[in-house]
Structure formats: C-alpha cells, structure tokens
Amino acid sequence: MVVVVNNLAGNLTLPRLGPECTVSADGEVTLDTVQMANAATIAAVGVRRGMPEQAVVVALATAFQESKLENLDNGDRDSVGLFQQRPSQGWGTVEQIKDPRYAAGKFYSALKKVKGWQEMRVTDAAQTVQRSAYPEAYEKWADESRVLAAALTGRATGAVECTVSGTPAVRGAEAATALLASLKLDWGKKLPSTAAARAAGLTVDVSNVNTGWRYAHWLVSHASATGLERVRFGDLEWHAPVGKWQPVTDGSAGNTAQVVAEVFS
C-alpha cells in the first residue's frame, strides 16, 4: 500500500509503505502509523505543557520538515530524532533526543523563549528554534500541521482514522497495562487520576468533549503498536480492522464523560 502525505498548498507528496491513517479536519492528511503515533506524541507533549494550538502547529511543521515525522537515527552531522536536534549544540544526549517526548519538550521550551513567536509565520517561528540552512522550508508543512493539530488537540470529532490489520503486537491485560503506561508518559499530570487499566482495556474519565477527543484520537494514533482493538467516545466508536469512526449501535451511545478503549484479548 502506498500512503501519501498531501500538501494542501503545494501538492507535494511523500510515498510511504504500510498501513495508513487519515486525519480529516478542514483538510486531509494521510500518514503511516509510525508518523501518526509520533505526531500524536508531539501534540500531547504540547498540550500537557500548556502550549497553545499554534505551538503544536509549529512543532509538527518542524518535525515534518526535519524528519518526515520519523524518529531518525542520524542526519546532518550529529543530528538525530524527530526534530534533528544535535547533541553537540546542547540539545541533550543521543539517547535523550531519540525519546520523542524529550525531543518535543525541548522544542517547546526553546519556542516558548522566542519573543512574539505567536504572531510569526510558522516557518519563521520554527526557524528561530532550528536555525536551518533552509529557513523557508517549514512553511510548506503549515497546512498539514494545522489539520493534525486541530484533530490531536481535540477540536475535531472522529478526525483520526487508522486501519490496523494483522496479528496484534500484544494482547489482553499486558496490552492494557502498557497502553495506560504510554498514555501517562505522553500526557503526564494532564491525564485524569481516574484513568485505569482493565483486563480488556482502559477507561479515561473526561470533563468535556474536547478533552475526550484528545484522548480518543491519541489512542487511535497509537493503535498499531499497542494491541488496541476498539475505542468508544460519545456516539461514535473506532474498530481496528475497519479503521473508521462509526455510530455506536448498542445501548451505550452518548457517554461523553468517559473514553473507553478495548484491546485484543
């Protein structure tokens, strides 16, 4: 299967092999499951740090340009990771930078120090952090990044759809425990203390619809590697083999106080 990232402004395409995720929120972006998981982690780190949605847009555009949202082992000179940060320039050790959460956190910390970044073009804000030899390059990813940010911060409903096939990487209670641990790593104290793993999956209590879709979209984004089979929120549910959000047909529809995730047994 060929997966294509569609640039709304320039029709730039990137060939990808593997399962696909489609994000629809005033535009459409298609990624492979590795890219999707990394994008969701970048967004989660921004939200839990209290950064506005525009910061998530800048971070995603930067990672698009620097690594195509892939956690690279190498790059120009000693650059590594999603943002191609360099140990020799004080970004951290190779091991630290290769952790997507650490790398995203360092990017947001640097962006926050830039005076007036909120009013800058995406490419100018990114360039103040990255100091790239190609300062205009980030702008071509601005449209895709806005689509992803709208979905991953929870402003869009049922916007992240990933098709997952084949044998689950992990199952049952082991999958549920690992899934909750990953949620906690990405979301930190933002994750409600009531979030709990069950033998068949996990539940996350949420205070509003926006927060619910943040977690629901994060779960779907990470489904491929976590043994996730189903996610339910409000009147919709996502099922791995189908990959689409569809109306809930049993009697449990309408619950917007809790995100429910089920893993393969």
Side-chain angles (χ1 to χ4, degrees), residues 166-190:
T167 303
V170 63
R171 294 175 178 269
E174 181 183 358
T177 300
L179 186 59
L180 181 59
S182 293
L183 263 172
K184 288 180 176 179
L185 284 173
D186 273 15
W187 291 98
K189 294 181 180 179
K190 283 285 185 181

Side-chain angles (χ1 to χ4, degrees), residues 238-250:
W238 168 89
H239 189 216
V242 178
K244 304 291 184 182
W245 287 96
Q246 298 179 327
V248 175
T249 56
D250 63 21

Side-chain angles (χ1 to χ4, degrees), residues 79-137:
S79 301
V80 294
L82 288 169
F83 297 89
Q84 288 293 278
Q85 294 155 332
R86 299 178 60 192
S88 64
Q89 299 299 309
W91 288 98
T93 66
V94 171
E95 291 74 18
Q96 287 174 323
I97 297 170
K98 283 283 290 177
D99 178 351
R101 301 170 187 95
Y102 173 91
K106 292 292 283 187
F107 180 86
Y108 287 120
S109 292
L111 180 65
K112 193 173 183 179
K113 294 176 182 177
V114 176
K115 184 177 181 179
W117 70 265
Q118 298 92 330
E119 288 73 44
M120 295 179 181
R121 291 188 306 155
V122 168
T123 198
D124 294 334
Q127 174 64 4
T128 57
V129 176
Q130 299 294 107
R131 303 192 181 281
S132 167
Y134 306 96
E136 291 293 318

